[in-house]
mmCIF file of all heavy atoms in Angstrom:
data_model
loop_
_atom_site.group_PDB
_atom_site.id
_atom_site.type_symbol
_atom_site.label_atom_id
_atom_site.label_comp_id
_atom_site.label_asym_id
_atom_site.label_seq_id
_atom_site.Cartn_x
_atom_site.Cartn_y
_atom_site.Cartn_z
ATOM 1 N N ALA B 2 -41.862 -8.185 3.943
ATOM 2 C CA ALA B 2 -41.550 -9.301 4.824
ATOM 3 C C ALA B 2 -42.533 -9.335 5.980
ATOM 4 O O ALA B 2 -42.991 -8.308 6.472
ATOM 5 C CB ALA B 2 -40.130 -9.159 5.345
ATOM 6 N N VAL B 4 -43.529 -11.162 9.911
ATOM 7 C CA VAL B 4 -42.853 -11.250 11.200
ATOM 8 C C VAL B 4 -41.864 -12.409 11.145
ATOM 9 O O VAL B 4 -42.230 -13.522 10.756
ATOM 10 C CB VAL B 4 -43.871 -11.475 12.330
ATOM 11 C CG1 VAL B 4 -43.155 -11.645 13.671
ATOM 12 C CG2 VAL B 4 -44.866 -10.314 12.383
ATOM 13 N N ILE B 13 -33.668 -27.813 24.878
ATOM 14 C CA ILE B 13 -32.706 -27.526 25.942
ATOM 15 C C ILE B 13 -33.018 -28.399 27.151
ATOM 16 O O ILE B 13 -34.129 -28.924 27.293
ATOM 17 C CB ILE B 13 -32.740 -26.045 26.375
ATOM 18 C CG1 ILE B 13 -34.121 -25.667 26.919
ATOM 19 C CG2 ILE B 13 -32.333 -25.139 25.226
ATOM 20 C CD1 ILE B 13 -34.173 -24.302 27.554
ATOM 21 N N PHE B 21 -35.372 -16.145 22.596
ATOM 22 C CA PHE B 21 -36.057 -16.127 21.305
ATOM 23 C C PHE B 21 -35.984 -14.697 20.761
ATOM 24 O O PHE B 21 -36.070 -13.731 21.513
ATOM 25 C CB PHE B 21 -37.530 -16.522 21.447
ATOM 26 C CG PHE B 21 -37.770 -17.736 22.291
ATOM 27 C CD1 PHE B 21 -38.590 -17.670 23.395
ATOM 28 C CD2 PHE B 21 -37.170 -18.943 21.981
ATOM 29 C CE1 PHE B 21 -38.821 -18.786 24.184
ATOM 30 C CE2 PHE B 21 -37.387 -20.056 22.767
ATOM 31 C CZ PHE B 21 -38.213 -19.979 23.866
ATOM 32 N N ASN B 24 -38.393 -10.156 14.824
ATOM 33 C CA ASN B 24 -38.339 -8.925 14.038
ATOM 34 C C ASN B 24 -39.732 -8.676 13.472
ATOM 35 O O ASN B 24 -40.204 -9.450 12.629
ATOM 36 C CB ASN B 24 -37.316 -9.059 12.908
ATOM 37 C CG ASN B 24 -37.246 -7.806 12.051
ATOM 38 O OD1 ASN B 24 -37.523 -7.823 10.856
ATOM 39 N ND2 ASN B 24 -36.873 -6.699 12.655
ATOM 40 N N ILE B 26 -43.091 -6.683 11.605
ATOM 41 C CA ILE B 26 -43.318 -6.034 10.319
ATOM 42 C C ILE B 26 -42.919 -4.563 10.451
ATOM 43 O O ILE B 26 -43.246 -3.909 11.446
ATOM 44 C CB ILE B 26 -44.784 -6.178 9.881
ATOM 45 C CG1 ILE B 26 -45.077 -7.653 9.571
ATOM 46 C CG2 ILE B 26 -45.097 -5.303 8.681
ATOM 47 C CD1 ILE B 26 -46.530 -7.958 9.295
ATOM 48 N N TYR B 33 -46.315 -8.291 20.200
ATOM 49 C CA TYR B 33 -46.817 -9.235 21.192
ATOM 50 C C TYR B 33 -45.911 -10.464 21.256
ATOM 51 O O TYR B 33 -45.384 -10.901 20.240
ATOM 52 C CB TYR B 33 -48.214 -9.740 20.814
ATOM 53 C CG TYR B 33 -49.257 -8.708 20.497
ATOM 54 C CD1 TYR B 33 -49.340 -8.139 19.232
ATOM 55 C CD2 TYR B 33 -50.212 -8.340 21.451
ATOM 56 C CE1 TYR B 33 -50.325 -7.215 18.923
ATOM 57 C CE2 TYR B 33 -51.208 -7.422 21.146
ATOM 58 C CZ TYR B 33 -51.257 -6.860 19.879
ATOM 59 O OH TYR B 33 -52.236 -5.954 19.584
ATOM 60 N N TYR B 35 -46.698 -14.379 22.512
ATOM 61 C CA TYR B 35 -47.703 -15.323 22.957
ATOM 62 C C TYR B 35 -47.029 -16.679 23.228
ATOM 63 O O TYR B 35 -46.006 -17.018 22.641
ATOM 64 C CB TYR B 35 -48.769 -15.553 21.879
ATOM 65 C CG TYR B 35 -49.759 -14.432 21.692
ATOM 66 C CD1 TYR B 35 -49.479 -13.383 20.808
ATOM 67 C CD2 TYR B 35 -50.988 -14.432 22.344
ATOM 68 C CE1 TYR B 35 -50.403 -12.366 20.605
ATOM 69 C CE2 TYR B 35 -51.908 -13.418 22.147
ATOM 70 C CZ TYR B 35 -51.602 -12.389 21.274
ATOM 71 O OH TYR B 35 -52.528 -11.390 21.070
ATOM 72 N N ARG B 36 -47.686 -17.453 24.053
ATOM 73 C CA ARG B 36 -47.285 -18.841 24.259
ATOM 74 C C ARG B 36 -48.475 -19.712 23.898
ATOM 75 O O ARG B 36 -49.611 -19.421 24.299
ATOM 76 C CB ARG B 36 -46.873 -19.099 25.715
ATOM 77 C CG ARG B 36 -46.524 -20.542 26.008
ATOM 78 C CD ARG B 36 -45.882 -20.690 27.373
ATOM 79 N NE ARG B 36 -46.732 -20.207 28.448
ATOM 80 C CZ ARG B 36 -46.328 -20.083 29.714
ATOM 81 N NH1 ARG B 36 -45.086 -20.389 30.043
ATOM 82 N NH2 ARG B 36 -47.150 -19.646 30.637
ATOM 83 N N GLY B 42 -55.320 -22.295 22.416
ATOM 84 C CA GLY B 42 -55.069 -21.089 21.646
ATOM 85 C C GLY B 42 -53.899 -20.311 22.219
ATOM 86 O O GLY B 42 -53.453 -20.578 23.338
ATOM 87 N N PRO B 43 -53.381 -19.360 21.471
ATOM 88 C CA PRO B 43 -52.283 -18.529 21.976
ATOM 89 C C PRO B 43 -52.704 -17.748 23.219
ATOM 90 O O PRO B 43 -53.827 -17.249 23.296
ATOM 91 C CB PRO B 43 -51.993 -17.582 20.803
ATOM 92 C CG PRO B 43 -52.540 -18.275 19.595
ATOM 93 C CD PRO B 43 -53.727 -19.035 20.075
ATOM 94 N N ASP B 56 -48.290 -4.173 28.839
ATOM 95 C CA ASP B 56 -49.072 -5.223 29.487
ATOM 96 C C ASP B 56 -48.193 -6.461 29.631
ATOM 97 O O ASP B 56 -47.960 -7.162 28.657
ATOM 98 C CB ASP B 56 -50.328 -5.545 28.684
ATOM 99 C CG ASP B 56 -51.232 -6.530 29.407
ATOM 100 O OD1 ASP B 56 -50.811 -7.103 30.436
ATOM 101 O OD2 ASP B 56 -52.362 -6.732 28.939
ATOM 102 N N LEU B 60 -46.851 -12.421 32.228
ATOM 103 C CA LEU B 60 -45.466 -12.884 32.092
ATOM 104 C C LEU B 60 -44.947 -13.365 33.454
ATOM 105 O O LEU B 60 -44.954 -12.605 34.425
ATOM 106 C CB LEU B 60 -44.600 -11.731 31.583
ATOM 107 C CG LEU B 60 -43.181 -12.080 31.157
ATOM 108 C CD1 LEU B 60 -43.208 -12.844 29.834
ATOM 109 C CD2 LEU B 60 -42.336 -10.816 31.022
ATOM 110 N N GLU B 68 -37.416 -7.789 26.184
ATOM 111 C CA GLU B 68 -37.023 -6.420 25.885
ATOM 112 C C GLU B 68 -37.282 -6.131 24.422
ATOM 113 O O GLU B 68 -37.314 -7.029 23.581
ATOM 114 C CB GLU B 68 -35.550 -6.174 26.230
ATOM 115 C CG GLU B 68 -34.563 -7.026 25.475
ATOM 116 C CD GLU B 68 -33.125 -6.738 25.886
ATOM 117 O OE1 GLU B 68 -32.905 -5.962 26.830
ATOM 118 O OE2 GLU B 68 -32.213 -7.271 25.238
ATOM 119 N N LYS B 71 -35.100 -0.090 20.991
ATOM 120 C CA LYS B 71 -35.377 0.896 19.952
ATOM 121 C C LYS B 71 -36.753 0.698 19.315
ATOM 122 O O LYS B 71 -37.006 1.169 18.204
ATOM 123 C CB LYS B 71 -34.294 0.888 18.865
ATOM 124 C CG LYS B 71 -32.902 1.186 19.401
ATOM 125 C CD LYS B 71 -31.853 1.171 18.290
ATOM 126 C CE LYS B 71 -30.473 1.446 18.848
ATOM 127 N NZ LYS B 71 -29.428 1.408 17.798
ATOM 128 N N LEU B 84 -39.620 -27.810 32.751
ATOM 129 C CA LEU B 84 -40.275 -28.738 31.824
ATOM 130 C C LEU B 84 -41.587 -28.166 31.301
ATOM 131 O O LEU B 84 -41.927 -28.316 30.122
ATOM 132 C CB LEU B 84 -40.526 -30.076 32.516
ATOM 133 C CG LEU B 84 -39.282 -30.869 32.934
ATOM 134 C CD1 LEU B 84 -39.684 -32.141 33.675
ATOM 135 C CD2 LEU B 84 -38.433 -31.218 31.720
ATOM 136 N N CYS B 92 -44.469 -14.701 18.185
ATOM 137 C CA CYS B 92 -44.361 -13.248 18.176
ATOM 138 C C CYS B 92 -45.348 -12.723 17.135
ATOM 139 O O CYS B 92 -45.555 -13.346 16.087
ATOM 140 C CB CYS B 92 -42.944 -12.823 17.825
ATOM 141 S SG CYS B 92 -42.711 -11.032 17.734
ATOM 142 N N ALA B 93 -45.967 -11.602 17.424
ATOM 143 C CA ALA B 93 -46.903 -10.987 16.490
ATOM 144 C C ALA B 93 -46.736 -9.477 16.547
ATOM 145 O O ALA B 93 -46.248 -8.937 17.548
ATOM 146 C CB ALA B 93 -48.338 -11.368 16.825
ATOM 147 N N ARG B 98 -52.867 -1.276 18.624
ATOM 148 C CA ARG B 98 -53.421 -2.274 19.549
ATOM 149 C C ARG B 98 -54.791 -2.771 19.087
ATOM 150 O O ARG B 98 -55.188 -3.883 19.380
ATOM 151 C CB ARG B 98 -53.533 -1.653 20.931
ATOM 152 C CG ARG B 98 -54.105 -2.579 21.978
ATOM 153 C CD ARG B 98 -54.106 -1.913 23.346
ATOM 154 N NE ARG B 98 -54.859 -0.672 23.359
ATOM 155 C CZ ARG B 98 -56.176 -0.616 23.445
ATOM 156 N NH1 ARG B 98 -56.897 -1.717 23.505
ATOM 157 N NH2 ARG B 98 -56.800 0.556 23.488
ATOM 158 N N GLY B 105 -45.624 -14.440 13.474
ATOM 159 C CA GLY B 105 -44.487 -15.150 12.921
ATOM 160 C C GLY B 105 -44.746 -16.649 12.963
ATOM 161 O O GLY B 105 -45.808 -17.103 13.398
ATOM 162 N N GLN B 106 -43.759 -17.423 12.501
ATOM 163 C CA GLN B 106 -43.925 -18.874 12.429
ATOM 164 C C GLN B 106 -43.791 -19.541 13.785
ATOM 165 O O GLN B 106 -44.183 -20.687 13.946
ATOM 166 C CB GLN B 106 -42.910 -19.463 11.452
ATOM 167 C CG GLN B 106 -43.187 -19.098 10.009
ATOM 168 C CD GLN B 106 -42.188 -19.748 9.071
ATOM 169 O OE1 GLN B 106 -40.993 -19.502 9.157
ATOM 170 N NE2 GLN B 106 -42.676 -20.578 8.177
ATOM 171 N N GLY B 107 -43.241 -18.822 14.750
ATOM 172 C CA GLY B 107 -43.129 -19.372 16.089
ATOM 173 C C GLY B 107 -41.833 -20.126 16.319
ATOM 174 O O GLY B 107 -41.137 -20.532 15.385
ATOM 175 N N VAL B 112 -38.275 -28.597 26.446
ATOM 176 C CA VAL B 112 -37.398 -28.649 27.614
ATOM 177 C C VAL B 112 -37.380 -30.092 28.113
ATOM 178 O O VAL B 112 -38.432 -30.673 28.392
ATOM 179 C CB VAL B 112 -37.886 -27.708 28.724
ATOM 180 C CG1 VAL B 112 -36.917 -27.746 29.906
ATOM 181 C CG2 VAL B 112 -38.014 -26.277 28.201
#
Side-chain angles (χ1 to χ4, degrees):
Chain B
V4 177
I13 61 171
F21 314 123
N24 179 242
I26 293 173
Y33 308 83
Y35 286 88
R36 177 169 58 188
D56 186 350
L60 190 73
E68 61 181 6
K71 301 180 181 179
L84 295 177
C92 178
R98 179 177 58 80
Q106 291 182 299
V112 182

